[in-house]
């Protein structure tokens, strides 16, 4: 593959070139990795930026319908929208790998939209790097908005929040005062909470749920990156397509404020630092994951379990072996 | 120091020798580390085992008073009791370093008790290793029970639970149905929940709190290492010294059942494996913590923040540098 030509076609906004480049960054082959690095270097200088929106929500909250309706609204305004998914479970469930395009049928036919199924990698560290590179490729291809969706398995929300400019939490209306088991940490990451399904029979419940979350958000400590009134809870209906424009207006208000106050740039700088450190840690620990090291760990682990070797002595042997490589 | 002689004195149960050996394992000096390793090797073959009891509870639940009363009850039965503390915050607060002996005045005067203040190390990885080694030294010195106390800062409960045979959660009576913000993960680690301060005005509240937790424990999935009726919630009063013998009876029932069912041995084997892997990870990541590497990380981090270098490219430079050392 001619990397320079591929890069030009991406800069030209060609979706097929973009898809091909994402396949390249997702590849585990060493020669592909070298090509991907070349390509990313070539594109980095262009300096195009999209609004990166992270979106979390457990299955059943209507995430696909929301992305489809929200994406259609954005393309209707002349914006170009890319959708990426972070789903560390997809390798196991197999569910979302083929499903992404069919579950967003209208959006996938839009010429100003690009939908990319989750990579079939179960290792979150690898998924994170590939997703960040896919975002960079989408930005180079001139997309205005990149939606990064997560199903919220394990640490995946943190991963997505750390690569987003805005982080949205999508929830369903809930009866009573139960807070749907939303992890406190997730609520603290959210810039906006959207209560979906505010339609039909669920409308009143959605309004009440929204008020509950608005109350809960007010109890959290104010963050420097938030203007008055944020984080915010709102109701939307993806099915009836209402509330979406208001939500987008709020996102733009927040984004403009953060840009003006310098938080947009400082947030991206902090994120880059975070990923640098994560990559170092991840690559260092990957040295333990070679077949040879796994065998050695397993052998020594058996001796440790049996009490023939102390954990520390066994660890020393592993570390001595690592220094030799 | 003559290590062989120190080892003999420990095996002889001498508390001053034990204290000196713990100081040795807590030292950061390389020559001390080598001596500590020799000493631990020498003692490992003896095969003495204590009952290791992990104890967690936030400040204010009466943990010191409980340890003092519980410890006095045990020494009253002719048992030898060691108390160790895991407090990763102590380096910063400075509070508990000198306080451990004064806050357990009676127990510290008991000849069959040994109280060791928290090491003044803020790094949890280091604290964990030193605490495990201190436990091994206490076992070699013939203690029957080793109480490992944690204040529950960050991950310290997990650390303590992973080196204990029994894990106790000490709580105070709470009004209403609030569950005192106990992290779900902590409750799942607990073998017994003790509601302290079941005396005077708080007695009725303690009983109600105990019933609430007993109910909550029943909602958790049954673990293979638990006989019928465990994990268990009970009320105690450390001040009035009642409920302590019943709690000790239950601990012995649980321990005997686990020994007979093979869970005691398999749990210790699993823990040894866990610490082996943790030590390898910890030591590997420590290679990033040399002054030279920190400077390099900081330099590259600045370039990453400024957008002059991608996180991945910066990480590659660090990793290349590590391979050279």
């Amino acid at each position: 593959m001619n990397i320079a030509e591929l890069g030009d076609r991406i800069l030209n906004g060609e979706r097929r070139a973009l898809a091909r480049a994402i396949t390249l960054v997702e590849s585990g082959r060493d020669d592909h990795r070298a090509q991907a690095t070349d390509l990313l270097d070539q594109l980095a200088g262009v300096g195009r930026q999209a609004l990166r929106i992270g979106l979390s929500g457990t299955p059943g909250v209507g995430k696909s319908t929301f992305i489809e309706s929200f994406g259609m609204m954005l393309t209707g305004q002349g914006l170009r929208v890319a959708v990426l998914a972070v789903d560390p479970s997809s390798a196991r469930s197999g569910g979302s790998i083929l499903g992404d395009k069919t579950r967003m049928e209208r959006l996938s036919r839009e010429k100003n939209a690009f939908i990319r199924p989750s990579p079939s990698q179960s290792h979150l560290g690898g998924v994170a790097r590939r997703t960040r590179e896919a975002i960079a490729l989408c930005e180079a291809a001139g997309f205005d908005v990149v939606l990064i969706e997560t199903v919220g398995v394990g640490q995946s929300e943190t991963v997505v929040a750390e690569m987003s400019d805005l982080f949205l939490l999508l929830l369903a209306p809930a009866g009573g005062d139960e807070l749907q088991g939303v992890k406190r940490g997730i609520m603290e990451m959210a810039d906006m909470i959207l209560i979906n399904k505010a339609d039909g029979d669920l409308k009143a419940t959605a309004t009440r749920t929204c008020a509950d979350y608005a109350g809960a958000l007010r109890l959290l400590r104010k963050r420097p990156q938030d203007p008055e009134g944020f984080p915010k809870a709102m109701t939307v209906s993806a099915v009836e397509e209402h509330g979406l424009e208001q939500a987008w207006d709020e996102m733009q208000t927040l984004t403009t404020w953060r840009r003006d106050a310098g938080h947009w740039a400082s947030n991206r700088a902090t994120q880059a630092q975070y990923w640098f450190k994560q990559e170092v840690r991840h690559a260092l620990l990957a040295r333990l994951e070679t077949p040879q090291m796994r065998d050695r760990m397993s052998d020594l682990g058996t001796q440790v379990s049996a009490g023939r070797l102390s954990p520390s002595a066994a660890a020393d042997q592993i570390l001595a072996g690592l220094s030799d490589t």
Side-chain angles (χ1 to χ4, degrees), chain A:
Chain A
M1 186 178 322
N2 184 327
I3 291 299
E5 191 195 317
L6 184 65
D8 288 341
R9 286 171 54 203
I10 290 169
L11 290 174
N12 207 26
E14 293 179 33
R15 289 188 296 181
R16 282 179 57 195
L18 175 59
R20 201 167 161 194
I22 294 179
T23 303
L24 192 65
V25 301
E26 285 175 358
S27 167
R29 275 173 47 181
D30 286 346
D31 55 333
H32 287 170
R33 177 100 306 261
Q35 289 182 316
T37 304
D38 283 352
L39 179 63
L40 290 163
D41 281 351
Q42 180 191 335
L43 298 172
V46 178
R48 286 183 183 161
Q49 286 191 336
L51 176 62
R52 305 172 185 170
I53 304 178
L55 178 71
S56 179
T58 43
V61 301
K63 212 159 17 144
S64 308
T65 317
F66 173 81
I67 293 174
E68 169 133 299
S69 296
F70 186 66
M72 291 300 289
M73 188 267 294
L74 294 175
T75 57
Q77 297 190 7
L79 296 168
R80 299 186 69 214
V81 180
V83 180
L84 305 172
V86 171
D87 179 4
S89 67
S90 67
R92 274 159 289 167
S93 72
S96 59
I97 297 173
L98 296 170
D100 282 334
K101 293 208 177 181
T102 48
R103 68 192 169 93
M104 298 172 200
E105 215 182 314
R106 282 189 301 151
L107 192 62
S108 67
R109 286 196 305 263
E110 266 297 313
K111 72 169 175 28
N112 281 330
F114 174 84
I115 299 176
R116 179 73 182 193
S118 348
S120 55
Q121 299 270 349
S122 60
H123 195 301
L124 199 54
V127 169
R129 179 170 183 161
R130 287 169 182 83
T131 306
R132 281 186 296 114
E133 291 173 347
I135 292 172
L137 292 168
C138 292
E139 291 190 318
F143 283 88
D144 302 295
V145 175
V146 180
L147 273 168
I148 311 123
E149 176 198 1
T150 172
V151 292
V153 174
Q155 297 295 307
S156 64
E157 281 110 343
T158 308
V159 165
V160 170
E162 286 289 347
M163 51 179 72
S164 302
D165 302 312
L166 289 182
F167 189 70
L168 310 183
L169 182 58
L170 196 70
L171 297 174
D177 53 359
E178 38 153 344
L179 290 188
Q180 297 179 57
V182 174
K183 294 173 244 168
R184 187 179 160 81
I186 306 297
M187 239 177 59
E188 287 174 346
M189 291 191 292
D191 294 310
M192 286 175 63
I193 293 180
L194 302 179
I195 315 297
N196 192 22
K197 305 191 182 178
D199 44 49
D201 289 350
L202 288 172
K203 194 160 186 173
T205 313
T207 306
R208 213 164 42 234
T209 305
C210 183
D212 288 344
Y213 278 97
L217 285 173
R218 275 191 296 271
L219 295 179
L220 297 177
R221 193 162 34 156
K222 190 158 159 37
R223 305 176 303 182
Q225 70 269 34
D226 293 323
E228 203 55 55
F230 285 91
K232 181 164 284 192
M234 299 178 73
T235 56
V236 296
S237 165
V239 170
E240 295 187 351
E241 299 183 7
H242 66 68
L244 301 173
E245 288 182 20
Q246 290 88 326
W248 175 236
D249 283 348
E250 296 290 352
M251 289 179 217
Q252 287 179 293
T253 301
L254 178 57
T255 304
T256 304
W257 186 88
R258 284 188 181 166
R259 272 187 191 280
D260 294 347
H263 292 297
W264 168 290
S266 68
N267 182 49
R268 287 215 168 182
T270 305
Q271 288 181 345
Q273 280 259 18
Y274 172 84
W275 288 114
F276 163 47
K277 285 173 189 162
Q278 285 294 107
E279 290 225 357
V280 170
R281 288 173 61 95
H282 177 229
L284 204 53
L285 293 175
R287 294 184 181 180
L288 301 173
E289 301 298 332
T290 62
Q292 195 195 350
M293 286 309 294
R294 279 173 194 255
D295 286 352
R296 189 101 187 90
M297 292 280 289
S298 169
D299 283 353
L300 289 169
T302 307
Q303 295 184 51
V304 167
S305 290
R308 288 195 300 274
L309 199 63
S310 79
S312 306
D316 287 346
Q317 290 193 29
I318 287 291
L319 293 159
L322 273 177
S323 300
D324 298 342
T325 57

